[in-house]
Amino acid sequence: MAVSTPQASGQRSSSRAFGLVVGLALLAFACLASLWVGAKGIPFTATWDLLWHNDGSSEAVIIHDLRVPRTLLGLLVGAGLGLGGALMQALTRNPLADPGLLGVNMGASAAVVVAIGFLEITTLTGYLWFALAGAAVAAVLAYLLGTAGHGSAAPERLVLAGAAVTAVLFAFVQAVLLLNPLTFNQFRFWDVGSLASRRMDVVAQVAPFIVAGVVLALSQARALNALALGDQAGKALGAHLGRTRALVAVAVTLLCGAATAAAGPITFVGLAVPHAARLLVGPDQRWVLPYSMVLAPILLIGSDIVGRVIGGAEEVEVGIVTAIIGAPVFVLLCRRRKLARL
């Protein structure tokens, strides 16, 4: 059996760090492309100049009022979904898990339906807080059901409880939408998943939640490595199982609840990106989590750019593009190699 030497371990860490730097460079390039590419063609040199010197022209308004908030939101939402997906897969020890298993996405959807259908709130900034609250309530309910009677949140119990909460909320959402066509007409624009028409106030509202979720998630990397060995081994290594799972559940709720509230449900980002990260760096969560946090915004912002280009004046929403791009890429990864173990 091969023995890992300190020199080999140091080389692996160096290569992983270099890969993360490359990822950050690609993310910076994607952000610049997001500021440059759009329905209105603005030369790159003019885009760069207007980014730092707002002269009040129509091009400057497009860049500062539309593309900058859209790009920043893509960064936040992508990081939240990628990191949340990695956490959920580590928590359940299942590489096919996604944040929706805790009921976060459906909780946000149910709250938005209530805000639109019963409270007549029709603006994004108005029902964003409802989406955040709905995601939190659904996740807490799933966690309480998953720990009821046993006192420990075993992965399989959390998945079953989340599936039950999701099923109930899905039935509620569908019932309201079928009975109220006006609610459906408003809800569908949020439900498709989009970064368009989001202003800086939306970015400011969701940023604290996602930043808090990132800090909490990264702090649990070592504990998740211990849990990956199994409950008994994790306890022997000093991991506090219940506390770690509770903190991870809170982090998933903050990250994915805020991301879903701001952009709507976006599929495949939280599922495919952590899997790709494990293929690159292995199962060590100290690297999987940062890689997922960097790779996911690249995918999301890149998909948003593709949606602007292929749609012309009528853009294709990013939620549609990520599904079209993400599904085949994920299938290809699965076919080329076995699912990366956790």
Side-chain angles (χ1 to χ4, degrees):
M1 186 175 76
V3 178
S4 177
T5 64
Q7 182 179 3
S9 178
Q11 289 176 346
R12 284 198 300 269
S13 296
S14 297
S15 63
R16 290 167 175 170
F18 177 74
L20 193 59
V21 171
V22 172
L24 289 170
L26 291 174
L27 180 57
F29 176 79
C31 291
L32 287 175
S34 178
L35 296 173
W36 175 34
V37 178
K40 180 176 177 57
I42 303 175
F44 180 77
T45 53
T47 300
W48 181 259
D49 184 62
L50 290 172
L51 180 63
W52 304 106
H53 305 93
N54 187 349
D55 60 8
S57 64
S58 60
E59 289 83 2
V61 170
I62 290 173
I63 292 171
H64 286 273
D65 293 355
L66 299 178
R67 295 183 185 175
V68 168
R70 188 171 186 165
T71 303
L72 291 176
L73 191 63
L75 278 171
L76 291 171
V77 170
L81 293 177
L83 193 53
L87 290 173
M88 199 64 207
Q89 291 172 12
L91 179 65
T92 60
R93 297 198 289 270
N94 178 3
L96 293 177
D98 72 354
L101 286 180
L102 265 185
V104 172
N105 291 350
M106 196 51 63
S109 297
V112 170
V113 165
V114 168
I116 296 172
F118 298 99
L119 302 177
E120 298 183 354
I121 297 174
T122 57
T123 63
L124 176 64
T125 53
Y127 54 69
L128 186 144
W129 294 105
F130 285 86
L132 281 168
V137 170
V140 169
L141 183 58
Y143 190 85
L144 291 177
L145 290 174
T147 57
H150 292 264
S152 63
E156 62 275 7
R157 289 177 59 83
L158 280 177
V159 170
L160 290 174
V165 171
T166 296
V168 172
L169 293 177
F170 177 79
F172 167 76
V173 169
Q174 294 304 307
V176 174
L177 295 180
L178 287 173
L179 294 174
N180 192 334
L182 294 177
T183 300
F184 170 76
N185 188 55
Q186 179 71 26
F187 175 75
R188 64 190 177 93
F189 292 106
W190 176 84
D191 190 51
V192 72
S194 177
L195 300 177
S197 302
R198 270 59 170 180
R199 305 289 181 160
M200 284 301 297
D201 56 346
V202 174
V203 175
Q205 285 175 329
V206 301
F209 295 96
I210 293 181
V211 170
V214 167
V215 173
L216 183 57
L218 296 179
S219 71
Q220 299 304 306
R222 290 184 180 274
L224 287 173
N225 280 340
L227 289 185
L229 302 174
D231 288 2
Q232 295 303 320
K235 288 181 180 179
L237 291 172
H240 193 293
L241 304 184
R243 181 178 64 191
T244 299
R245 286 171 177 150
L247 291 176
V248 169
V250 171
V252 171
T253 302
L254 289 171
L255 292 166
C256 300
T260 303
I266 296 176
T267 58
F268 279 105
V269 175
L271 174 63
V273 169
H275 180 60
R278 286 193 299 275
L279 290 177
L280 292 172
V281 299
D284 189 344
Q285 297 299 325
R286 293 174 299 174
W287 290 102
V288 171
L289 297 183
Y291 264 75
S292 298
M293 190 172 64
V294 172
L295 295 177
I298 295 175
L299 173 61
L300 189 64
I301 293 174
S303 298
D304 188 45
I305 295 171
V306 171
R308 301 183 214 177
V309 172
I310 65 175
E314 297 295 332
E315 297 182 1
V316 179
E317 283 76 5
V318 69
I320 298 173
V321 180
T322 54
I324 294 173
I325 295 177
V329 170
F330 184 65
V331 171
L332 180 63
L333 289 171
C334 293
R335 286 179 62 86
R336 293 186 62 182
R337 293 183 58 177
K338 294 182 179 179
L339 287 174
R341 66 183 182 89
L342 291 171

